[in-house]
Amino acid sequence: MGSSGEVRVRRVQDGAEDGDGTRVLVDRLWPRGVPRERAAIDRWLKDLTPSDELRSRYHEDRSATRYDAFVERYRAELAGPVQAAAVDELAGLVRAGGPVTLVTAVKDVEHSHVPVLADHLEHQLRHR
């Protein structure tokens, strides 16, 4: 990733593993039915998540074209001052030596905010 640490992605339902390093929850809401001890979350960065409006608009229609629009709007949200500060905090964890595991409860990780966030983070790590 062009940094001293490694970034991984894991669903919270899969539980923690040795080598996860710092586990960062990147969902706005705490995962339903998952005890805090089992989740083993070190940081919860809610400001990295899509806005409620963006998330609900995407959930109404999960077509490929809607996902493309979601990605574009979410990238714009990540450039906001509050979100940029949260991205900087996350990048700092990675630069400190990682690994850092982005933890989510979404079922379809590939078509969620998580790959967009990971890509954005990778870009920030390479260019700062």
Side-chain angles (χ1 to χ4, degrees), residues 54 70-80 115-117 119-120:
L54 179 56
F70 167 82
V71 168
E72 185 176 324
R73 289 200 50 207
Y74 179 47
R75 286 186 190 281
E77 287 186 357
L78 287 172
V116 180
L117 174 59
D119 183 64
H120 183 78

Side-chain angles (χ1 to χ4, degrees), residues 3 8-9 18-20 25 27 40 42 46 48-49 51-52 54 66 102 110 114-115 121 123:
S3 63
R8 304 169 182 187
V9 175
D18 292 342
D20 276 354
L25 182 63
D27 292 344
D42 299 302
K46 295 178 189 179
L48 293 174
T49 64
S51 65
D52 290 337
L54 179 56
R66 180 62 66 125
L102 306 180
E110 185 179 337
V114 180
L121 176 62
H123 183 266

